[in-house]
Amino acid sequence: MSTKKLYAGAKLRETRQRLGLTQKDFAAKLGVSLPYLNQMENNNRPVSTTVVLALAQEFGFDVTELSTGDSERLVTDMREAMADPIFGASPPPLADLRLTASNAPALARAFIDLHRAYRQTHERLASLDEALGREESRLQPSPWDEVRDFFHYCDNYIDAVDRAAEHAASQAQGRPMRLYAPEMLERAGISLRLADSDMLRHFDPASQTLTLSNRAAPETQTFQILLQFALLHQNKLLEATLDFARFRSDEARAIAKIGLANYFAGAALMPYTRFLGAAQADRHDLERLATRFSASIEQVAHRLSTLQRPGAKGIPFFFVRVDQAGTITKRHSATRLQFARFGGACPLWNVHRAFETPGRFLRQLAETPDGVRYINLARDVSKPGGAFGAPTRRYAIALGCEVRHGDALVYADDLDLTNPRAFEPIGISCRICERTNCHQRSVPPLERRLSIDSNERGVLPYRVE
């Protein structure tokens, strides 16, 4: 079997610039000539084994980052943008998009930002009564999308916040966080009270009192305590991280701060090193991990998708949460599979069937159009309001990874991972999916020509050529 060549010029160039080295000095430390380094940085030559070893030995670089990073995400995001009818029926070939993502990632991001701005402007013009005369109708990404992209391109792993949370959790000295979290507040001079309230969490700065709803589940209450602790006693760290991100609006910065506090809470509830060890020992059994860390199934699944610490990475998982309309409300992928930025997920995914079987885990072997095979796990998540007449929020979550990690998953037991016919064909979104015979296709793939014959009808009212 031939070995795939590694082209990582952008990552190599970013590493050199981060170290503050000239090409000449960097080439000397890597043991290669200056012209050879220049060719590698411009993707004219693959990164050699000598360079990979030198990066690890000389700089302690996690060489697995060379084959990951932003390229696949950028390619997926550009393909979805190009699926917009505004670009016509002749988008650039996939090879060109991959070349752009590898050689000019900054240009690729600028293009994605431009298309996002166009979409938002188009949506605003569709509702002129809201847009006219309002200052916030300027061209800019929505705060929500900007924050989502921040976590997306950080691989959903924020090292400084994760390590700070792990340090805070170590003070519990092995005690369950559900017992230690209230003590953390008390030592910080904050009073905790429970109330029969629709408000999940409320903090009064004047009295230094945190009030939680007694209708919330115990794991939710613990999470909210840790979140409030982060906002109050990790504020400098959160603000420094926000400064680094350089958000374009105050709204995005405020949303991101809550997101970072949520990240701290999850990382403190499930400290990295201990959680990674437990996940490996329990073979990523979500129910066992939820019991062990007094967390919810959704909290555990989301935490598994963040285990991307350099030098101590867990299995690369994707994690997604959808509502009953199929809209993605949370998404992250450390795998090659990337989710559509707009709209819902592929209807063939088992995540949509989870609503039909509440309280049960559904397993699915799936194959994406690029030939990569995954094992997917889906389950419904209901969040009751805690009182008669209070609305129940219903979601479904999915967690998955490539089948090559099947031996490390309890959910892969008794599944035939070697049988090609056991894998269901799934995609990302119809406009960029290349499958020609999908019975659930809603719109034609933009990159293919159509043949329409009024005298015949198959699965689809057209043939994809």
Side-chain angles (χ1 to χ4, degrees):
M1 182 180 294
S2 61
T3 302
K4 184 178 180 180
K5 295 181 180 180
L6 175 61
Y7 290 89
K11 182 68 72 174
L12 202 61
R13 185 165 56 251
E14 289 173 5
T15 301
R16 175 176 60 80
Q17 292 171 346
R18 186 172 66 248
L19 295 170
L21 296 176
T22 64
Q23 277 194 329
K24 181 178 180 181
D25 292 339
F26 196 44
K29 289 182 178 293
L30 295 178
V32 297
S33 67
L34 178 58
Y36 190 74
L37 174 62
N38 184 272
Q39 289 179 319
M40 284 191 293
E41 287 193 358
N42 288 285
N43 280 338
N44 292 324
R45 285 197 179 187
V47 178
S48 66
T49 304
T50 301
V51 170
V52 171
L53 293 175
L55 284 169
Q57 295 172 358
E58 187 75 21
F59 304 107
F61 186 78
D62 184 357
V63 295
T64 61
E65 295 184 16
L66 289 174
S67 59
T68 57
D70 297 349
S71 292
E72 289 299 325
R73 294 182 181 87
L74 289 174
V75 170
T76 300
D77 291 349
M78 283 192 292
R79 288 190 71 197
E80 187 174 7
M82 285 292 183
D84 194 313
I86 191 176
F87 293 111
S90 299
L94 183 59
D96 286 0
L97 298 182
R98 285 178 173 155
L99 192 62
T100 303
S102 298
N103 286 4
L107 179 62
R109 293 190 190 98
F111 168 78
I112 293 166
D113 289 343
L114 181 63
H115 179 256
R116 184 193 302 118
Y118 157 76
R119 281 182 57 93
Q120 290 169 348
T121 302
H122 184 74
E123 290 168 1
R124 288 191 179 102
L125 289 175
S127 54
L128 287 173
D129 57 329
E130 280 190 298
L132 285 177
R134 294 179 59 177
E135 182 183 0
E136 57 264 35
S137 62
R138 301 187 300 268
L139 278 180
Q140 60 179 9
S142 74
W144 184 258
D145 284 337
E146 193 177 359
V147 172
R148 177 180 285 184
D149 285 348
F150 166 71
F151 284 99
H152 184 58
Y153 284 107
C154 285
D155 264 349
N156 207 29
Y157 175 75
I158 314 296
D159 188 70
V161 177
D162 207 301
R163 292 182 186 275
E166 187 171 30
H167 175 73
S170 69
Q171 307 304 307
Q173 298 181 341
R175 296 177 60 197
M177 187 54 69
R178 69 177 185 277
L179 301 178
Y180 180 66
E183 289 185 16
M184 293 174 63
L185 286 184
E186 184 179 352
R187 293 177 183 177
I190 301 170
S191 301
L192 176 65
R193 61 183 291 266
L194 299 178
D196 186 13
S197 171
D198 293 332
M199 185 72 69
L200 179 60
R201 172 178 56 89
H202 174 73
F203 178 70
D204 182 8
S207 64
Q208 292 288 287
T209 301
L210 175 64
T211 302
L212 299 179
S213 173
N214 59 13
R215 302 177 192 171
E219 59 268 20
T220 301
Q221 293 176 350
T222 302
F223 190 91
Q224 293 299 320
I225 291 173
L226 294 171
L227 186 155
Q228 190 66 54
F229 180 86
L231 290 172
L232 295 173
H233 292 277
Q234 296 291 332
N235 186 60
K236 289 184 178 180
L237 173 60
L238 301 186
E239 290 292 337
T241 306
L242 294 170
D243 289 340
F244 173 77
R246 297 181 180 179
F247 290 106
R248 304 182 189 184
S249 67
D250 292 339
E251 292 90 345
R253 186 181 178 101
I255 294 171
K257 188 169 185 177
I258 296 296
L260 290 174
N262 274 277
Y263 187 101
F264 180 95
L269 185 63
M270 295 164 278
Y272 195 101
T273 303
R274 189 155 61 91
F275 183 77
L276 176 61
Q280 293 170 341
D282 290 340
R283 298 185 63 216
H284 302 85
D285 187 320
L286 271 65
E287 291 171 295
R288 290 176 64 102
L289 291 170
T291 300
R292 187 191 292 252
F293 290 91
S294 300
S296 70
I297 294 293
E298 181 179 352
Q299 288 169 349
V300 169
H302 188 273
R303 183 57 170 152
L304 285 172
S305 74
T306 69
L307 300 182
Q308 295 299 301
R309 179 177 292 180
K313 291 187 177 183
I315 290 177
F317 281 106
F318 68 76
F319 169 78
V320 66
R321 188 181 75 179
V322 303
D323 64 17
Q324 288 179 278
T327 303
I328 296 175
T329 60
K330 287 184 181 180
R331 64 177 173 88
H332 170 66
S333 179
T335 70
R336 284 179 279 182
L337 186 149
Q338 301 300 322
F339 302 110
R341 297 171 60 83
F342 307 103
C346 173
L348 298 178
W349 279 22
N350 63 341
V351 66
H352 302 291
R353 298 197 291 270
F355 292 108
E356 304 169 8
T357 55
R360 289 178 52 196
F361 284 102
L362 299 182
R363 299 179 297 172
Q364 179 187 39
L365 296 178
E367 181 177 340
T368 48
D370 58 3
V372 182
R373 292 173 178 172
Y374 298 88
I375 175 170
N376 303 335
L377 185 70
R379 177 172 168 156
D380 81 304
V381 175
S382 296
K383 299 185 178 183
F388 179 76
T392 297
R393 293 177 296 158
R394 295 194 66 199
Y395 301 99
I397 60 171
L399 184 75
C401 66
E402 295 184 23
V403 292
R404 61 192 175 92
H405 301 293
D407 289 344
L409 300 181
V410 65
Y411 303 103
D413 292 352
D414 72 38
L415 294 180
D416 188 357
L417 305 183
T418 62
N419 181 8
R421 301 185 64 181
F423 291 83
E424 296 183 59
I426 64 171
I428 298 175
S429 68
C430 287
R431 283 200 176 275
I432 61 176
C433 181
E434 300 172 357
R435 300 193 188 281
T436 60
N437 58 347
C438 176
H439 62 283
Q440 287 289 343
R441 178 175 290 283
S442 59
V443 293
L446 195 64
E447 299 180 9
R448 306 289 291 273
R449 295 180 61 86
L450 302 182
S451 174
I452 302 171
D453 187 343
S454 60
N455 294 319
E456 62 180 36
R457 166 66 194 259
V459 174
L460 300 172
Y462 50 79
R463 259 199 312 265
V464 180
E465 297 181 351

